[in-house]
Amino acid sequence: MTGPAAQDPRTTTAPAPVSGRRDRRSDIRLDATPGVSDPGPDDEPTGGALDLEERSSLRRVPGLAGSSTELTDVTEVEYRQLRLERVVLIGVWTEGTAREADASLVELARLAETAGSEVLDGLVQRRQTPDPATFVGSGKLAELRETVQATGADTVIADGELSPGQLRQLEEKLRVKVVDRTALILDIFAQHARSREGKAQVELAQLRYFLPRLRGWGESLSRQGGGAGGGGAGGGGVGTRGPGETKLETDRRRIHRRIAKLRREIEGMSTVRETKRGRRQQRAVPSVAIAGYTNAGKSSLLNAITDAGVLVQDALFATLDPTTRRWETADGREVTLTDTVGFVRHLPHQLVDAFRSTLEEVSDADLLLHVVDGSDPSAQDQIAAVREVLAEVSGDGVPRSSTSVAGSSAPHELLVVNKVDAAEPLALAQLRAALPGAVFVSARTGEGLDRLRARLAEELPHPDVELEVLLPYTEGALVARTHSDGEVLAERHTEDGTVLHARVSEELAASLRRAAVDPAHVS
Ligand SMILES: Nc1nc2c(ncn2[C@@H]2O[C@H](COP(=O)(O)OP(=O)(O)OP(=O)(O)O)[C@@H](O)[C@H]2O)c(=O)[nH]1
Ligand SMILES: [Mg+2]
């Protein structure tokens, strides 16, 4: 980047990712050669490490790869599978502060690294709106092309969702593969999903994303510059000439069939899940959902609280399938804690839909443990981003979720600021001031965990207690309170006092037990 460009106030070069991240990246890198997996440096074969090893040997897109029986010939989709190596990032900054624009690109860099690529450079252009034809303006496009050539990048990743037309035009002009944020996140999800349902959901989301972007194989190979005609017409109106045409139609039909099949399968699976959840609700075991921005330390906290052995990794979206663990509060009540997939800004809408299952776990929970990375400078933005997605999910933003629990308003939230060990003291002080109700902890050092356990127990809805007590006649007020606050199942008047058989809160039960004439009567 030369002087004049750097002085242009409308251009910022996002900080290149810190080189210290490299080793972490190699931990999760998927080798292009199937079967070669590296479980990472001297990892103990804990549940997490085994998990990781197993994951590394997974193929990226189940059902799409060459081994599939149904989609063997979908060359375009195969081509679209990300083989990210050396990438340059490009963002368009339309609103918010420069810091927010940079943070978005830094996050994109982390996503790219999580997908296994090396980030060489990042550019942000200040614009009113993205260019409808090429995302960035033509001047910036030339600069981007220079950067691509100078760095030897083979892929450009755009921070946003590109229309099919933008994608095609960018590839024609830049002459390298172009990928958008949505495809990148989908790719990471595809790499990490483990359960049958998770895999099916990711594949469905990917197919829905690919469908309008399908092109004739011949066209994408030859990458003819110009003369494409039509321009950025969206929705599949491309690649309609030459021998590719029939092939394209076949591909589309196959994908439609596959989508229909996946939808049916997923439909069946969510019924099973709801049955399971229903059983849990019947047993009245309160549930806690651990949610929050990706990499905030949700899995670490679940481990720290319950000793669960869930995969923890300094990578985005380490957890993609809900993991549920039992835990007992200090006063002996049993609860379930569910770890969930991390949130991210601009979660692709295909995924909000696809990960409805996870998010339903969140909106059905009795308590939401919202974990924030206190060492991240944009912690407060992340809180806002998570709440935004949650509102979308618990509001009417969840399509086709008619079977979910009626009136699923968002559960009560307990905010947990994690990684206090790694946070700047000043930033931490600001967070404490801004978030008075939050619990500050470190899953790593254990700081604050006892307080967190206590707060958890406090905030959980207390299950009703059924009991029978004999109250002396002097306790008329307590009898009245039991009638008003609890449910009186039976009442008898004896010589010694009133015998109450009632269902009450834990707290009222304690008062009743204290006032009871003879503890022997307490059941
Ligand atoms: N310094 C510090 N690091 C932590 C702490 N808690 C978690 N981490 C690290 O943060 C990274 C992410 O932790 P995870 O528990 O995997 O985070 P997550 O929120 O489950 O992430 P995803 O599942 O990817 O969304 C790991 O490298 C952890 O070791 C903490 O209290 N202090
Ligand atoms: Mg996790």
Side-chain angles (χ1 to χ4, degrees), residues 31-300:
D31 206 288
T33 328
V36 177
S37 67
D38 176 10
D42 52 46
D43 265 339
E44 301 253 298
T46 59
L50 287 176
D51 212 3
L52 180 58
E53 189 171 8
E54 188 189 310
R55 222 167 58 184
S56 304
S57 61
L58 282 181
R59 297 206 50 125
R60 281 205 162 139
V61 190
L64 281 185
S67 59
S68 160
T69 48
E70 277 173 283
L71 285 165
T72 37
D73 292 327
V74 186
T75 37
E76 174 66 19
V77 172
E78 221 164 70
Y79 159 76
R80 283 278 151 217
Q81 273 193 348
L82 311 185
R83 299 261 188 284
L84 304 180
E85 287 297 329
R86 297 158 58 76
V87 307
V88 169
L89 313 177
I90 179 76
V92 172
W93 166 25
T94 55
E95 52 181 29
T97 65
R99 191 177 63 81
E100 282 164 9
D102 283 359
S104 182
L105 218 64
V106 167
E107 182 177 285
L108 188 69
R110 295 214 55 197
L111 288 168
E113 289 179 338
T114 296
S117 48
E118 184 183 352
V119 179
L120 304 171
D121 206 349
L123 303 171
V124 175
Q125 181 183 23
R126 177 96 171 148
R127 271 181 80 92
Q128 210 75 43
T129 56
D131 187 289
T134 51
F135 189 59
V136 287
S138 54
K140 198 54 49 179
L141 196 60
E143 196 185 317
L144 179 59
R145 190 166 166 187
E146 275 167 30
T147 307
V148 165
Q149 280 167 351
T151 55
D154 53 30
T155 305
V156 167
I157 306 182
D159 194 8
E161 185 164 328
L162 298 174
S163 72
Q166 284 172 327
L167 189 72
R168 186 169 56 102
Q169 294 213 22
L170 274 176
E171 283 196 341
E172 279 169 6
K173 302 225 157 83
L174 294 170
R175 301 191 160 264
V176 289
K177 183 157 64 172
V178 177
V179 164
D180 64 14
R181 186 185 182 101
T182 303
L184 181 60
I185 294 177
L186 286 170
D187 186 68
I188 297 171
F189 274 60
Q191 286 182 39
H192 290 190
R194 282 163 300 156
S195 70
R196 241 184 94 228
E197 181 177 14
K199 286 178 186 169
Q201 282 176 329
V202 175
E203 191 187 342
L204 178 61
Q206 282 188 309
L207 291 175
R208 285 176 56 208
Y209 170 85
F210 286 132
L211 196 55
R213 291 170 178 80
L214 278 186
R215 279 178 281 162
W217 180 233
E219 189 196 345
S220 42
L221 266 188
S222 60
R223 299 264 173 92
Q224 302 142 350
V238 290
T240 50
R241 71 221 126 231
E245 185 177 350
T246 333
K247 175 81 184 56
L248 191 62
E249 285 312 312
T250 323
D251 283 354
R252 284 209 184 106
R253 257 202 318 278
R254 283 192 175 141
I255 290 186
H256 276 301
R257 271 206 304 272
R258 180 86 186 138
I259 285 178
K261 185 159 180 270
L262 284 168
R263 284 221 165 101
R264 280 194 305 274
E265 283 176 15
I266 291 168
E267 198 78 6
M269 291 188 249
S270 60
T271 313
V272 173
R273 198 181 51 242
E274 260 154 37
T275 316
K276 273 193 198 159
R277 208 170 38 220
R279 274 204 297 270
R280 214 156 55 218
Q281 277 165 0
Q282 265 170 26
R283 282 203 322 266
V285 177
S287 60
V288 179
I290 305 178
Y293 215 73
T294 182
N295 211 47
K298 300 177 294 298
S299 302
S300 305

Side-chain angles (χ1 to χ4, degrees), residues 294-300 314-315 317-319 418-419 421 442-444:
T294 182
N295 211 47
K298 300 177 294 298
S299 302
S300 305
D314 189 9
F317 302 119
T319 305
N418 187 32
K419 307 197 192 181
D421 60 293
S442 165
R444 178 158 296 174

